[in-house]
Amino acid sequence: MSDTALHPEENIRVRIAPSPTGDPHVGTAYIGLINFLYARQRGGKFVLRIEDTDRARFVATSEQMIFDALHWLGLTWDEGPDKGGPFGPYRQSERTAIYSEHAQILLDAGAAYRCFCTAEALEAARRQTPGRYSGTCRNLSVSEVEANLKAARPFTIRLKVPLDGSTTFRDELRGPITFEHNNVDDQVLIKSDGFPTYHLANVVDDHLMQISDVIRAEEWISSTPKHVLLYQAFGWKLPRFWHMPLLRNQDKSKISKRKNPVSLVYYRQAGFLPEAMLNFLGLMGGGMPADINDASEKFTLPEMLRHFDVKAIRPAGPVFDLTKLRWLNGEYIRALAPQAFYAALRSTVLSDAYLSEIASLIQPRIETLAEFGNLTHFFLADDILPSQDLFLPKNRALPDTLAFVAEQLTVLEAVEWTHAAIESALKQLGEAKGWSVKENFMLLRAILTGSTSSPPLIESMLIFGKARTLDRLRRFLDAQKKAPAPKKG
Ligand code: GLU
């Protein structure tokens, strides 16, 4: 191992800092894996910090889903909200006093200022100079600030980015990166509700939690100059920055749910094995040497611990190739001993929890036990693609119908996965678009179950789960785009 040479003398501390805004993302697993390997290879600590200061996007169930997804993958952390540790609390919403104190330090040092601009004023100014704050409040006099405070005008606190010059920092994969200050905005650090933004909270916590290496996704590169200015304003030592390439769709765009499932909940429920997922993520970017295991692309977590080299990662975006992941998963499935394979089935797609929920839905609807299979195929199959005959309502054109399905998908993505919420969201959409309740639900039933006479639709969707329901709808739309089904009639 070249200059990944381990640094046992150094106190290596890394972290992942996911925001609990929905289902845990494959990107979190990818960055989690790299941080995990980095810490474990160097005898360091791996911290899990929950960045939950964006209250508008906060999803209450998300934090537990993040824990579960990381446990499923076997990426254990040393300090975190569930574990505690010497630098807690590890949930940012429990640290707001710390951020206020630090904002005050910046104000006192003249590195930040209060901005009293109203939302309307900001909007008007943005139309004049798009992309940047106009600077109206940068140089308010002490008495102007006092007057505004006395009048109880709401304010944000902004970083005072120098007007000229530039900031350069070193990215460990890319070398020095320079941003001209005239391209760096006076970032809001504290919002008018008193909550910090990501930038302030992230820097303060990385410093207080003694993070030695910030290993995160490439999308944060443009934030890093702001962070560096903050470290400098506080007089703090910089961590090393490593920005990992973004995972990409086949077409090289940033990985998105439109083109790939991105929820780890989906991969788990759809029966991907954690070993295959880790192996696949370990392949992304080229951190593993090509010549271990007789040039095979298959390797285990212990092998990654031995051979993975973060320095070898290429910054060009690795493609998240679902076909390859499925192939790898198949390899892992075939390698399981029969008992282990059966255990894998019983822990996911044939688990007691899943089957007993299905059973209670089916019980009132069958006359012999053997009919169980007739009504439940869609719960157990993974390739439901109804023909046009089945899904296309009489008197509706295909393009309009597919456009409506796309809207159903959008509505379902946003909805809380409860009976009442799903029902009312779908009905509302139907009313707005002139689809009767019957047509609306029948269409969805055909797509999700491959049949027009299935057990109750919403109950089935609840059992099947949000992640897999959305995936089924997306795959349906994809298939229609690629190969329009044969004409009706
Ligand atoms: N909260 C950020 C996220 O959700 C953390 C980014 C970072 O690691 O600095 O990805």
Side-chain angles (χ1 to χ4, degrees), residues 15-21 28 31 49-51 92 198 202 206 214-217 219-220 227:
R15 87 304 189 269
I16 51 168
S19 297
T21 53
T28 299
I31 300 295
R49 182 171 74 226
I50 295 291
E51 299 207 328
Q92 288 189 327
Y198 154 74
N202 185 272
D206 281 347
V214 168
I215 306 174
R216 61 183 167 197
E219 60 191 317
W220 302 104
H227 299 182

